[in-house]
């Protein structure tokens, strides 16, 4: 009977460590996606702002007698800015940035909490059962509210 409890106890600890490895992988994937989408979001917002600045300056210059090139530049900058802004809004890059960052932080918190509790001495088999239940619940909540990672 004692051997079964020891094997069961070790099996639970092994399962928790495997889950922690999975949490660590998910954490890094979300962090990677967060960095990727943050760069894209920063670039597109910068591009839109630059195009809007060119557009406004060009439109102001159209009130003075200048060449048709200025009008063409103003229209082009405005059109590209509008299209870029629409694409940025429809793909919700900023939402993905926020979602991946939140998931990364939640997985980091879960990993840190479970690792610390696992190192605590004197955890009974029931404590490990409760820890497994809590891990599954927390992971379920995180997965329900996070962007998909492949």
């Amino acid at each position: 009977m004692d051997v079964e409890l020891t094997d069961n106890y070790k099996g639970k600890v092994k399962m928790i460590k495997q889950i922690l490895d999975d949490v660590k992988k998910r954490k890094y994937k979300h962090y990677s996606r967060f960095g990727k989408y943050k760069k894209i979001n920063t670039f597109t917002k910068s591009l839109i702002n630059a195009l809007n600045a060119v557009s406004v300056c060009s439109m102001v210059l159209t009130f003075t007698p200048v060449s048709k090139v200025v009008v063409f530049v103003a229209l082009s900058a405005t059109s590209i800015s509008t299209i870029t802004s629409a694409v940025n809004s429809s793909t919700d890059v900023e939402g993905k940035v926020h979602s991946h960052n939140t998931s990364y932080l939640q997985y980091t918190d879960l990993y840190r909490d479970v690792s610390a509790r696992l190192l605590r001495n004197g955890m009974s088999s029931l404590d490990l059962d409760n820890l497994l239940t809590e891990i599954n619940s927390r992971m379920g909540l995180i997965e329900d509210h996070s962007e998909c990672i492949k």
Side-chain angles (χ1 to χ4, degrees), residues 1 8 17 70 77 85 87 89 98 108 118 130 150:
M1 180 87 172
N8 189 23
K17 287 182 178 180
V70 174
S85 180
V87 168
S89 295
H98 177 69
T108 299
L118 193 58
N130 292 336
K150 297 173 187 168

Side-chain angles (χ1 to χ4, degrees), residues 7-20 23 110 113-114 117-118 123-140:
D7 288 342
N8 189 23
Y9 187 87
K10 288 179 182 178
K12 290 176 186 178
V13 171
K14 183 180 177 184
M15 181 181 284
I16 291 172
K17 287 182 178 180
Q18 289 172 340
I19 292 171
L20 280 177
V23 167
L110 176 63
D113 181 38
V114 173
R117 288 164 64 183
L118 193 58
M123 288 187 80
S124 67
S125 184
L126 181 62
D127 292 335
L128 292 176
D129 287 339
N130 292 336
L131 184 58
L132 278 167
T133 301
E134 183 183 337
I135 291 169
N136 287 328
S137 297
R138 287 174 70 180
M139 284 185 70

Side-chain angles (χ1 to χ4, degrees), residues 42-120:
T42 302
F43 174 76
T44 55
K45 284 189 171 191
S46 299
L47 178 65
I48 290 168
N49 289 337
L51 289 169
N52 286 339
V54 169
S55 176
V56 169
C57 290
S58 300
M59 285 185 188
V60 169
L61 287 176
T62 59
F63 294 116
T64 61
V66 289
S67 69
K68 293 185 181 196
V69 173
V70 174
V71 176
F72 179 74
V73 169
L75 290 174
S76 298
T78 304
S79 299
I80 294 171
S81 173
T82 303
I83 291 169
T84 306
S85 180
V87 168
N88 192 36
S89 295
S90 67
T91 57
D92 191 28
V93 176
E94 195 163 346
K96 290 178 182 179
V97 169
H98 177 69
S99 178
H100 284 295
N101 186 39
T102 301
S103 296
Y104 165 73
L105 294 174
Q106 289 173 335
Y107 279 123
T108 299
D109 183 48
L110 176 63
Y111 184 83
R112 186 181 326 111
D113 181 38
V114 173
S115 294
R117 288 164 64 183
L118 193 58
L119 290 174
R120 187 175 4 164

